[in-house]
Amino acid sequence: MDDTYQVIVVGGGFAGMTAAEQLGRKGVRVLLIDANNYHQFQPLLYQVAASQIGVSAVARPLRSVFRSTKSVRVLTAEVTAIDSATRTVTTIDGSQYQSKILVVAAGAVPNFFNTPGAEEHAYPLYSVADATRLSTALTTALDRADRAKAGRADVVVVGGGPTGVETAGALAENIKYLVPKYFSSGLAARCRVHLVDMLPNVLMPFSAKSQAYTRDRLIKLGVQLHMGQGVTEVRADGVTLADGTIIPAQIVVWAGGLKAGKIIADSGLPQGKGGRIDVLPDLTVPGAEGVYVLGDAANITDATGAKLPQLGSVAEQSGKWAARNIHADLTGGTRQPFFYWDKGYMAMVGRGAAVAELGRKRIQLQGPLAFLSWLGVHLALLPGTQQKVRALSSWLTGYVIHSPSHVVVGRPD
Ligand SMILES: Cc1cc2nc3c(=O)[nH]c(=O)nc-3n(C[C@H](O)[C@H](O)[C@H](O)COP(=O)(O)OP(=O)(O)OC[C@H]3O[C@@H](n4cnc5c(N)ncnc54)[C@H](O)[C@@H]3O)c2cc1C
């Protein structure tokens, strides 16, 4: 048992990494545990899946992030259990670590909502591993379709939120611009991208104007929209919709929702919506002394009473705020309720097109200006200079000359 840490942080995503960075700056002894040895930038995973950028643009080694922060130790290990009463975590090799404060920032996992066949046949998009698996599957499907007479590489994307819209847009662009360039003639005309959601429109939290713009752009890119239709089954050869329609497809992408992961479900902490932990406005868990839950693992209500969505900006800001409160805990100060600075949201719909609703006032942008804002914001958010340079160079080659800068090697049949 190693008990020399003041704080243990489980998860090196936006929330956990930011909390550890802030605490490290104050000299707090932190143990940061993540199953991966890198931080993954989820907002660009769909671009990895579409072979638009490489893995090295979205994954940053955690040891490199903390190389100069001597009070933070990075441990690569899967956490298998959390004991919130004693603030002890157990890792997959049976080691146990205990501390005065425990920060649970383990993110979420895909929620298949018990849809038959979804877990077995659909490709989720929540991690670097998911994105590379999907990228390989897409390339393999194209290679296979290229070999066969009248072969197809159709994709169904389930979920019309930002992830589903961005993924469908990127894949449709590949079919429109790259497939005719690199595969046999006629293949692009046979390939379809479908976007399905049980809700009546795409991007439901956005304004009607942004939704209309997005629908229009997707249709122009060739995406077939099936809104107001739930998926009742995912099959090896496509999906079945609630009205019995079958959409045949070689690949089904699942962007249909998230829930808390197993260690959270087994933690004994009180679970709320989506299996996430309901936290107090100061980001601690009621009845669990010294336990903070942040980011996608938590249902956060901020100081103004607003229920916050599962977003990178919420996770990052909750990490920063929790670090302040933890420092107060350790130095005899008083915790403050979390105040979220709402910067709005945005979604890209292919090259030169995006929608953005900025700030609390939701200032609306559509088209090239929103696209440039999207690029700027994501470039600024990407952690690490090397990651920024790699993403920028891929975007330049991808968006300017439509050249796939990342060759993906599909698994041979
Ligand atoms: C495809 C996609 C696109 C998105 N696009 C946007 C966007 O454009 N804008 C935006 O604001 N938000 C976006 N989001 C949401 C945003 O990425 C998340 O809200 C944010 O990443 C949550 O941060 P987090 O730190 O809570 O969790 P994560 O970033 O998920 O980090 C959790 C960490 O915990 C680790 N972990 C999990 N379980 C264990 C375990 N048992 N043991 C050890 N380590 C563990 C994981 O490896 C991971 O590193 C997107 C999400 C996805 C999936």
Side-chain angles (χ1 to χ4, degrees), residues 210-232:
S210 296
Q211 289 171 353
Y213 175 88
T214 303
R215 285 178 73 103
D216 191 47
R217 278 294 306 181
L218 288 171
I219 290 166
K220 280 198 179 114
L221 284 171
V223 177
Q224 299 198 354
L225 300 178
H226 308 262
M227 294 295 116
Q229 285 276 12
V231 168
T232 53

Side-chain angles (χ1 to χ4, degrees), residues 123 133 135-137 139-141 143-144 147 408-413:
Y123 289 84
R133 198 166 75 93
S135 168
T136 301
T139 311
T140 305
D143 280 333
R144 207 175 281 162
R147 287 198 304 270
V408 179
V409 181
R411 192 170 31 148
D413 291 341

Side-chain angles (χ1 to χ4, degrees), residues 151-173:
R152 306 176 66 110
D154 292 347
V155 180
V156 171
V157 179
V158 183
T163 301
V165 162
E166 291 184 331
T167 306
L171 297 182
E173 274 211 323

Side-chain angles (χ1 to χ4, degrees), residues 206-388:
F206 286 66
S207 67
K209 195 173 169 196
S210 296
Q211 289 171 353
Y213 175 88
T214 303
R215 285 178 73 103
D216 191 47
R217 278 294 306 181
L218 288 171
I219 290 166
K220 280 198 179 114
L221 284 171
V223 177
Q224 299 198 354
L225 300 178
H226 308 262
M227 294 295 116
Q229 285 276 12
V231 168
T232 53
E233 186 187 4
V234 179
R235 309 143 47 111
D237 59 354
V239 300
T240 309
L241 304 185
D243 67 359
T245 308
I246 292 173
I247 307 177
Q250 281 65 38
I251 306 273
V252 178
V253 181
W254 192 266
L258 300 171
K259 63 177 183 181
K262 189 171 180 310
I263 53 163
I264 303 225
D266 295 346
S267 68
L269 294 169
Q271 289 179 270
K273 192 175 173 206
R276 295 179 286 268
I277 308 300
D278 291 332
V279 293
L280 296 168
D282 65 7
L283 304 169
T284 61
V285 182
E289 188 55 34
V291 179
Y292 287 76
V293 184
L294 311 176
D296 278 7
N299 291 316
I300 303 177
T301 305
D302 83 351
T304 66
K307 289 191 186 312
L308 304 180
Q310 280 64 55
L311 281 178
S313 48
V314 174
E316 194 249 340
Q317 289 183 42
S318 69
K320 213 176 254 180
W321 202 281
R324 254 192 255 171
N325 280 347
I326 291 167
H327 193 249
D329 289 343
L330 296 173
T331 55
T334 310
R335 290 181 203 141
Q336 299 297 326
F338 175 41
F339 184 83
Y340 174 58
W341 180 23
D342 186 349
K343 298 175 189 165
Y345 30 70
M346 42 180 58
M348 143 108 81
V349 209
R351 182 175 74 144
V355 288
E357 305 200 349
L358 306 175
R360 276 187 196 273
K361 293 195 173 152
R362 299 288 183 259
I363 296 163
Q364 291 186 28
L365 297 177
Q366 283 102 23
L369 201 54
F371 175 74
L372 289 175
S373 312
W374 188 100
L375 290 182
V377 166
H378 284 77
L379 206 55
L381 287 177
L382 260 173
T385 310
Q386 289 180 31
Q387 285 68 22
K388 291 181 204 291

Side-chain angles (χ1 to χ4, degrees), residues 141-142 144-146 148-154 187 189-192 194 248 250:
L142 279 169
R144 207 175 281 162
D146 188 62
K149 200 166 175 232
R152 306 176 66 110
D154 292 347
L187 177 56
R190 292 196 300 274
C191 293
R192 295 276 174 280
H194 302 264
Q250 281 65 38

